[in-house]
Amino acid sequence: LLLLVNDFYLKFEFHNYLTGKLSDFAGLFAFPFFFSCLFPKNSKLIYILTGILFVFWKSSFSQTIFDFANSNGIGINRVVDYSDLITESQCRKP
């Protein structure tokens, strides 16, 4: 619920450092938790892949994917902000 409220309301109203980090923390909790509920036997792999994919997504290495998508009419974006990687280290499964 926090992820939805933040991404669909708070970011548009306030669009600041806090809403960006809140989105990262909530997403890194909700995404692997949801998929671990669907595939409980693969829970550890889901958490590991989430961390790896988050680091890739937030790095400049993924820019080719964004360029390709945007040139084909798929409007996606993200901000390369290495401080977001702090959230990845804080949201590991206990």
Side-chain angles (χ1 to χ4, degrees):
L1 180 61
L2 178 61
L3 180 62
L4 294 174
V5 170
N6 185 59
D7 284 356
F8 291 108
Y9 176 71
L10 296 176
K11 276 188 173 183
F12 294 105
E13 285 295 318
F14 303 105
H15 192 70
N16 58 27
Y17 180 82
L18 181 61
T19 59
K21 297 302 179 232
L22 185 59
S23 181
D24 292 337
F25 274 106
L28 283 170
F29 173 79
F31 181 82
F33 182 78
F34 173 76
F35 283 101
S36 291
C37 290
L38 292 177
F39 308 104
K41 290 183 180 180
N42 297 321
S43 181
K44 186 174 184 177
L45 179 62
I46 290 167
Y47 279 88
I48 290 169
L49 286 177
T50 299
I52 291 169
L53 290 174
F54 183 76
V55 170
F56 176 73
W57 178 269
K58 288 295 187 171
S59 74
S60 58
F61 296 115
S62 62
Q63 188 60 45
T64 307
I65 295 169
F66 291 93
D67 294 341
F68 177 78
N70 289 320
S71 68
N72 288 298
I74 303 169
I76 59 172
N77 61 20
R78 57 89 180 81
V79 175
V80 175
D81 180 1
Y82 292 108
S83 72
D84 290 341
L85 301 180
I86 294 168
T87 60
E88 189 275 328
S89 66
Q90 300 299 315
C91 292
R92 292 189 184 138
K93 184 180 178 188

